Amino acid sequence: MKVGILSDSHDHRDAAEGALLLFRAEGVEMVFHLGDVCSPAVLAGYDDPAILLRGVFGNNDSDRVGLQEATGGAFRQGPRIETVDGRKILLAHSYDQLRGELTGKGRFDLVLFGHTHRPLTMHVGKALVVNPGELCGLMRGRRTCAIVDLVTMKPRIVEIPLPRSG
């Protein structure tokens, strides 16, 4: 199974739409959003039953009730643990939320965080650690996401194309 990973949308609906189109083309079956969606309307279209959505709140997600209503309750306070295809996955908005969790070596297969707007892939013990960068493209000038194949545990940081308008 492939999972798509997003963070730091910051109200950029076109980028979120571009990511969804990319995920569909790549055969992604689940999307993890690591927070800072901001406006719930950004995730319009992410109610596709073929692509499950799970997320954690970020420090800029002030309309948490609206975000929950728009996503069918897909978001939680981080850190959050999910098990997908036998892989134990830890989600958080910021790395600071993870520090204590990462000391338990061997506990997680995949550790995800955002907040820094910087794409990153590395290993800590057996865990693959991924920051997908920023969906919004505001701080780094690149709209990025990550795709991880849970069978091979190979990550890719991918530039998000904006959908053509009109």
Side-chain angles (χ1 to χ4, degrees), residues 140-155:
R140 304 282 168 204
R142 295 176 57 213
R143 294 173 183 88
T144 58
C145 64
I147 298 173
V148 175
D149 183 321
L150 293 181
V151 174
T152 64
M153 293 304 288
K154 296 216 187 248

Side-chain angles (χ1 to χ4, degrees), residues 85-116:
D85 273 7
R87 300 288 188 180
K88 200 162 187 183
I89 303 169
L90 177 63
L91 296 77
H93 178 61
S94 71
Y95 184 78
D96 289 342
Q97 294 174 314
L98 297 174
R99 288 193 179 154
E101 298 290 346
L102 284 177
T103 58
K105 298 223 187 281
R107 200 166 155 211
F108 299 102
D109 299 295
L110 181 59
V111 176
L112 308 174
F113 73 97
H115 187 62
T116 66

Side-chain angles (χ1 to χ4, degrees), residues 58-72:
N59 57 299
N60 287 299
D61 290 322
S62 57
D63 185 4
R64 292 181 176 197
V65 171
L67 188 54
Q68 288 293 72
E69 289 173 356
T71 64

Side-chain angles (χ1 to χ4, degrees), residues 19-37:
L20 185 58
L21 292 171
L22 172 70
F23 291 154
R24 286 180 177 146
E26 290 274 345
V28 165
E29 295 179 56
M30 179 173 272
V31 172
F32 294 115
H33 198 299
L34 306 174
D36 283 359
V37 175

